[in-house]
Amino acid sequence: MRVALVSMYTPHHEETGATIRTRRTAELLSERGNDVVVLCAKWWGGESIEFEQNDVTYHRVTDSPAAGRFASRVPFVLREVDPDVIQVASFPPSHVTAAKTAARFLRVPVVADWWSRDERGGSRAYRRAAKSPHAVLTPSEMVRTDVRELGASVNSTHVVPEPIDMDIVRDAPIEKRADVVYARELDEHANVESFLLALAELRDKEWDAVVVGDGPERSNAEQTARDLRIDDRVEFAGELSAKEAVPILKGAHVFAQTATVEPFATNLLWALACGCVSIVEYQARSAAHELVEGRRRGSLVTSPQELADEIVAARGFDHQTVDEAFADYDYDHVVDQFESVYEAEIADYGFF
């Protein structure tokens, strides 16, 4: 299958959940033997219009990110590429409708991959983008609800979650480095303060904690730990790869999720697969609760005090290092879902 992924931005331009998901999807599809090309703004040097990385071809649409020019150019480039299916990132939203224009001539389906609603896109453009594709993929039910409220139909929307590598979980060693772990990019939505406040409530208990992640709010979080006088028990480990973080998760007993914005809580998923008792502070713009609802080794809280109480209660659970219940989120299973949607849309695309 020849798949064109349309995304003006790649992680080389800006690392966001959406761009990382596009890159991962492209590489997983390529590993399956699909012919994958990413149509994007140029990020490599030289005069070549294409660049190959990790068996994925990146094809220049514009020399730099420029939403209007990219939207006007992408239908012509799609004709050159001649794919069997088009997947387009939802931001900028004008690119979804541009891809649909090309699809009418190419007679192929368009699938939008909708990570979240970027504030840089206009509401009217997002409504058009939600209605125009043949299918819309979202990482969670929360985002699926958002897309349906913008006008997408029930039947056209599908949840395809973020994947993890269960082989890493199964094979990694156990590193007894912390009892409690928090892991996420430390940006304005991290809300690591709730985690630290909960730990401060437990000063009289025995525990060690690790915060995995880096970002603009790290220095503020470190200062909060000092202000709460728990900095001697909280290690800020910085950004770690999955292979570096998984041993810490396997050695820990509890994982805390407190972020205020999370289209899909990937770090929480890794922790659950590593057997952590996982506690989620409910937030209106976070889908993290979807991963723990109905699970014995997961709970929801609404305040740092409740989080502290659940950390204590977690001692009632045995320590685990692998939970095979999350094998359905393995790379192979998730790429199956992408391919199934593509194949179904190609098969149904018979109205021309």
Side-chain angles (χ1 to χ4, degrees):
M1 185 173 9
R2 185 159 174 77
V3 185
L5 301 184
V6 179
S7 178
M8 182 172 71
Y9 293 104
T10 72
H12 306 86
H13 300 106
E14 57 179 35
E15 282 205 6
T16 66
T19 61
I20 292 170
R21 178 173 166 95
T22 296
R23 178 178 64 189
R24 184 187 298 113
T25 302
E27 292 176 359
L28 289 173
L29 289 169
S30 179
E31 287 177 10
R32 279 290 182 86
N34 297 289
D35 185 6
V36 181
V37 58
V38 177
L39 306 189
C40 59
K42 187 181 176 186
W43 51 264
W44 55 94
E47 297 299 320
S48 175
I49 64 169
E50 291 189 342
F51 187 86
E52 187 171 309
Q53 185 178 73
N54 297 333
D55 296 323
V56 174
T57 299
Y58 291 84
H59 189 104
R60 180 191 69 197
V61 177
T62 55
D63 286 327
S64 60
R69 179 163 174 73
F70 191 96
S72 66
R73 286 275 304 141
V74 79
F76 299 99
V77 179
L78 280 167
R79 290 188 195 184
E80 296 173 16
V81 172
D82 193 25
D84 299 309
V85 62
I86 301 166
Q87 177 175 305
V88 56
S90 61
F91 177 78
S94 59
H95 298 174
V96 181
T97 49
K100 181 65 178 293
T101 298
R104 291 193 182 99
F105 292 97
L106 295 172
R107 299 190 176 187
V108 298
V110 174
V111 177
D113 192 36
W114 204 288
W115 178 255
S116 65
R117 180 170 169 172
D118 194 299
E119 294 303 320
R120 293 172 289 178
S123 58
R124 187 173 298 178
Y126 272 117
R127 290 189 180 278
R128 288 196 297 269
K131 296 174 184 177
S132 61
H134 301 98
V136 181
L137 308 181
T138 68
S140 60
E141 287 291 349
M142 181 192 76
V143 179
R144 185 185 184 206
T145 298
D146 290 345
V147 176
R148 288 174 56 190
E149 289 176 351
L150 289 169
S153 69
V154 174
N155 292 337
S156 70
T157 53
H158 311 271
V159 174
V160 179
E162 283 290 89
I164 57 174
D165 189 335
M166 284 298 294
D167 285 340
I168 291 179
V169 174
R170 296 181 185 109
D171 299 341
I174 299 169
E175 187 174 341
K176 291 286 187 179
R177 191 160 159 183
D179 305 296
V180 190
V181 175
Y182 172 102
R184 190 190 185 277
E185 180 187 2
L186 302 182
D187 61 13
E188 69 271 25
H189 305 302
N191 192 29
V192 70
E193 291 80 8
S194 281
F195 174 62
L196 297 173
L197 286 168
L199 294 179
E201 294 286 337
L202 304 174
R203 286 190 188 91
D204 60 337
K205 308 291 185 182
E206 291 186 7
W207 54 264
D208 289 296
V210 167
V211 175
V212 176
D214 207 346
E217 293 298 314
R218 176 174 174 173
S219 61
N220 290 336
E222 291 175 333
Q223 183 60 53
T224 298
R226 288 192 291 271
D227 293 343
L228 293 170
R229 300 191 304 278
I230 57 173
D231 53 303
D232 59 328
R233 301 167 71 180
V234 180
E235 176 191 354
F236 286 83
E239 185 176 352
L240 302 177
S241 67
K243 289 184 178 180
E244 294 169 321
V246 164
I248 298 172
L249 292 171
K250 291 179 73 170
H253 191 60
V254 176
F255 183 89
Q257 171 79 28
T258 60
T260 58
V261 177
E262 205 74 278
F264 186 87
T266 307
N267 290 309
L268 170 62
L269 176 59
W270 280 103
L272 287 163
C274 290
C276 290
V277 178
S278 296
I279 307 166
V280 173
E281 184 177 44
Y282 179 79
Q283 306 287 350
R285 297 306 305 156
S286 170
H289 62 279
E290 296 177 19
L291 290 173
V292 300
E293 285 177 334
R295 297 188 182 275
R296 286 186 63 249
R297 297 177 68 85
S299 60
L300 289 172
V301 299
T302 58
S303 68
Q305 180 59 63
E306 290 182 7
L307 176 56
D309 293 341
E310 287 299 319
I311 290 174
V312 173
R315 294 180 177 181
F317 290 91
D318 294 337
H319 184 80
Q320 291 185 9
T321 57
V322 180
D323 191 338
E324 291 292 345
F326 293 92
D328 286 346
Y329 291 91
D330 186 61
Y331 285 166
D332 284 342
H333 290 280
V334 172
V335 76
D336 280 345
Q337 295 178 55
F338 278 104
E339 289 184 325
S340 293
V341 172
Y342 299 159
E343 290 164 359
E345 293 303 323
I346 291 170
D348 289 345
Y349 202 78
F351 52 81
F352 277 107

